[in-house]
Amino acid sequence: MTEPRPRVWVSQPLFDDVIARLEEHFEVVSTSGVAEYTPEQISAALSKASGALVTLNERIGAEQIAAAPQLRAVANVGVGYNNLDIPALSRAGIIATNTPDVLTETTADFGFALLMATARRITEAERWLREGHWRQWSFRTMLGADLHGSTLGILGMGRIGQGIARRASGFDMRVLYHNRSRLPEAVEREVRASYVGFDALLAGADHLLLALPYAKESHHLIDARALLQMKPIATLVNIARGGIVDEDALADALAGGRLAAAGLDVFEDEPTVNPRLLALRNVVLTPHIASGSLATRRAMVSLAVDNLIAALGYGPNAGAPPNPIRA
Ligand code: DGY
């Protein structure tokens, strides 16, 4: 009799041809349609699984771990992993992995695109045009803010933040950044960015872009107090995680003219968008798509597959997945 193959759960429809690589080693349980799970359904899906390939939608915490006695590895398709309780997984001896690097440039491209759309009011102008408001060319229609020659503040100077800084030098922007730890001088020189304190970043930026990981410490870091320190002509762009911004405080600032505009790709309670933000004209809203080019999404899934195969002890990197998340 042949040994049953370990079971892996693939939580969402990804790319079948990439996922097929899992079938060389495992019994794969997957879903054909985009699925929304309750915590109990996630526990049930994990109850007989040795491994799981999940997206940021699926939260795995103590309750799911307790229901999953055979679980040995969780491969997250994404660089951010605030959907996973890493300390709890680590205590249970379960390896968790993510997909850094492969999405850096695509996400930085999008961050820059969102910054431009926000500063130059591109989506607002398009809506206005489609609604039939354009009667004649006018000198003062949809006046926005310049990127070139302005000061860009980047909060969170990891790989994606650095990618944004490189793009900014092509626009002759002055780049300030703040990060948990200061970058080595050689990297600062290469990306042409100057380190400043948090408050100086807020006060100095004409455009502030958030690219930091979400953690307890970054929850509502951009709150009413922080927004008050920003220039009223400034724009705020968030491609990190929604929970970093207090959305009600942001809506107050935007509605009250204390901030010019915001570009948001991420939200605190996705897929629900704060109705106050939906009602404002000076906000560009996108549905968490910063890493969403076809090539990059395929690369993310492929890397997550490599991670899962290796974490479960198969393939050329058996036992040494490329991207373990350290607790
Ligand atoms: C990530 O990778 O964390 C993105 O937010 C989802 O692609």
Coordinates of all heavy atoms in Angstrom, one line a residue, residues 2 6 16 38 69 94 100 116 125 141 148 156 159 180 182-183 211 217 234 239 245 250 270 274 277 302 305 319 327:
T2 N 0.5 2.2 -0.8 CA 1.3 3.5 -0.8 C 0.8 4.4 0.3 O -0.4 4.4 0.6 CB 1.1 4.2 -2.2 OG1 -0.2 4.4 -2.4 CG2 1.9 3.5 -3.3
P6 N 0.7 13.9 1.9 CA 0.3 15.0 2.8 C -0.7 15.9 2.1 O -0.6 16.1 0.9 CB 1.6 15.8 3.1 CG 2.7 14.9 2.6 CD 2.2 13.9 1.7
D16 N -3.7 28.0 -11.8 CA -3.7 26.5 -11.8 C -2.4 25.9 -12.2 O -2.0 24.9 -11.6 CB -4.8 26.0 -12.7 CG -6.2 26.3 -12.2 OD1 -6.3 26.7 -11.0 OD2 -7.2 26.1 -12.9
T38 N -15.4 32.0 7.1 CA -15.5 32.3 8.5 C -14.3 31.7 9.2 O -13.6 30.8 8.7 CB -16.7 31.7 9.1 OG1 -16.6 30.3 9.0 CG2 -18.0 32.2 8.4
P69 N -3.9 19.8 14.0 CA -2.8 19.1 14.7 C -1.7 18.6 13.7 O -0.6 18.5 14.1 CB -3.5 17.8 15.2 CG -4.8 17.7 14.5 CD -5.2 19.0 14.1
I94 N 5.1 25.6 13.6 CA 4.7 25.7 12.2 C 5.5 26.7 11.5 O 5.6 27.9 12.0 CB 3.2 26.0 12.2 CG1 2.4 24.9 12.9 CG2 2.7 26.2 10.8 CD1 0.9 25.3 13.2
P100 N 8.6 38.1 -0.3 CA 9.2 39.4 -0.5 C 9.9 39.5 -1.9 O 9.9 38.5 -2.6 CB 10.2 39.5 0.6 CG 10.5 38.1 0.9 CD 9.3 37.3 0.6
M116 N 0.8 60.1 -8.3 CA 0.5 61.0 -9.4 C -1.0 61.2 -9.6 O -1.4 62.4 -9.8 CB 1.1 60.4 -10.7 CG 2.6 60.4 -10.6 SD 3.4 60.3 -12.3 CE 3.2 62.0 -12.8
A125 N -10.8 64.1 -12.0 CA -11.0 64.8 -13.3 C -11.8 63.9 -14.2 O -12.7 64.4 -15.0 CB -9.7 65.3 -13.9
T141 N -9.2 74.6 -14.3 CA -9.8 73.3 -14.1 C -8.9 72.3 -13.4 O -7.8 72.1 -13.9 CB -10.3 72.7 -15.5 OG1 -11.2 73.6 -16.1 CG2 -11.0 71.4 -15.3
H148 N 7.3 67.1 -9.5 CA 8.7 67.5 -9.7 C 9.0 68.7 -8.8 O 8.2 69.6 -8.6 CB 8.9 67.9 -11.2 CG 8.3 69.2 -11.6 ND1 7.0 69.3 -12.0 CD2 8.8 70.5 -11.5 CE1 6.7 70.6 -12.2 NE2 7.8 71.3 -11.9
G156 N 8.6 54.3 6.2 CA 8.9 52.8 6.0 C 9.8 52.7 4.8 O 9.4 52.8 3.6
R159 N 12.3 47.6 1.1 CA 12.5 47.4 -0.3 C 11.6 48.3 -1.1 O 12.0 48.9 -2.1 CB 12.4 46.0 -0.7 CG 13.5 45.1 -0.2 CD 13.2 43.6 -0.3 NE 12.4 43.3 0.9 CZ 12.6 42.2 1.6 NH1 13.6 41.3 1.3 NH2 11.9 41.9 2.7
R180 N 12.1 52.5 11.1 CA 12.5 52.1 12.5 C 14.0 52.2 12.7 O 14.5 52.7 13.7 CB 12.2 50.6 12.6 CG 10.9 50.4 13.5 CD 10.6 48.9 13.6 NE 10.9 48.3 12.3 CZ 10.6 47.1 12.0 NH1 9.9 46.3 12.9 NH2 10.8 46.5 10.8
R182 N 17.7 53.5 10.7 CA 18.3 54.3 9.6 C 19.0 53.4 8.6 O 19.7 52.4 9.0 CB 19.2 55.3 10.2 CG 19.7 56.3 9.2 CD 20.5 57.5 9.9 NE 21.0 58.3 8.8 CZ 21.5 59.4 8.9 NH1 21.6 60.0 10.1 NH2 22.0 60.1 7.9
L183 N 18.9 53.7 7.3 CA 19.6 52.9 6.3 C 21.1 53.2 6.4 O 21.5 54.3 6.8 CB 19.1 53.3 4.9 CG 17.7 53.1 4.6 CD1 17.4 53.6 3.2 CD2 17.3 51.6 4.7
A211 N 4.8 53.1 3.4 CA 5.2 51.8 2.9 C 5.8 51.0 4.0 O 6.7 50.2 3.8 CB 6.3 52.0 1.8
E217 N 2.5 48.5 16.8 CA 3.1 49.8 17.0 C 2.7 50.8 15.8 O 2.8 52.0 16.0 CB 4.7 49.7 17.0 CG 5.3 48.8 18.0 CD 5.0 47.3 17.7 OE1 5.2 46.9 16.6 OE2 4.7 46.6 18.6
A234 N -0.6 69.2 1.5 CA 0.0 67.8 1.2 C -0.9 66.8 0.8 O -2.1 66.9 0.9 CB 0.7 67.4 2.5
I239 N 0.0 52.6 0.6 CA 0.0 51.3 -0.1 C 0.5 50.2 0.8 O 0.8 49.1 0.4 CB 1.0 51.4 -1.3 CG1 2.4 51.8 -0.9 CG2 0.5 52.2 -2.4 CD1 3.5 51.5 -2.0
V245 N -3.6 54.0 9.2 CA -4.3 55.3 9.2 C -5.6 55.3 9.9 O -6.4 54.4 9.8 CB -4.5 55.8 7.7 CG1 -5.3 57.1 7.6 CG2 -3.2 55.8 6.9
L250 N -8.6 60.9 9.0 CA -8.3 61.3 7.7 C -9.5 62.0 7.0 O -9.3 63.0 6.3 CB -7.8 60.1 6.9 CG -7.5 60.3 5.4 CD1 -6.3 61.3 5.2 CD2 -7.1 59.0 4.7
E270 N -11.1 46.0 5.0 CA -11.3 45.6 3.6 C -12.2 44.4 3.6 O -12.1 43.5 4.5 CB -10.0 45.2 3.0 CG -9.0 46.4 2.8 CD -7.7 46.0 2.2 OE1 -7.5 44.9 1.8 OE2 -6.8 46.9 2.3
N274 N -14.6 52.9 4.3 CA -15.2 53.9 5.2 C -16.1 54.8 4.3 O -15.6 55.5 3.4 CB -14.1 54.7 5.9 CG -14.7 55.7 6.9 OD1 -15.7 56.3 6.6 ND2 -14.0 55.8 8.0
L277 N -15.0 58.3 3.4 CA -14.0 58.5 2.4 C -14.6 58.3 1.0 O -14.3 59.0 0.1 CB -12.9 57.4 2.6 CG -12.0 57.5 3.8 CD1 -11.1 56.3 4.0 CD2 -11.2 58.8 3.8
S302 N 4.2 31.5 -7.4 CA 5.2 30.6 -7.6 C 6.2 30.5 -6.4 O 6.6 29.4 -6.0 CB 6.0 31.0 -8.9 OG 7.0 30.0 -9.2
V305 N 4.6 28.7 -3.6 CA 4.6 27.2 -3.8 C 6.0 26.7 -3.5 O 6.2 25.7 -2.8 CB 4.2 26.9 -5.3 CG1 4.6 25.5 -5.7 CG2 2.7 27.2 -5.5
G319 N 13.4 21.5 3.5 CA 13.7 21.9 4.9 C 14.2 23.3 5.1 O 14.3 23.8 6.2
A327 N 9.9 34.8 14.0 CA 8.9 35.3 15.0 C 9.6 36.4 15.8 O 10.8 36.5 15.9 CB 8.6 34.2 16.0

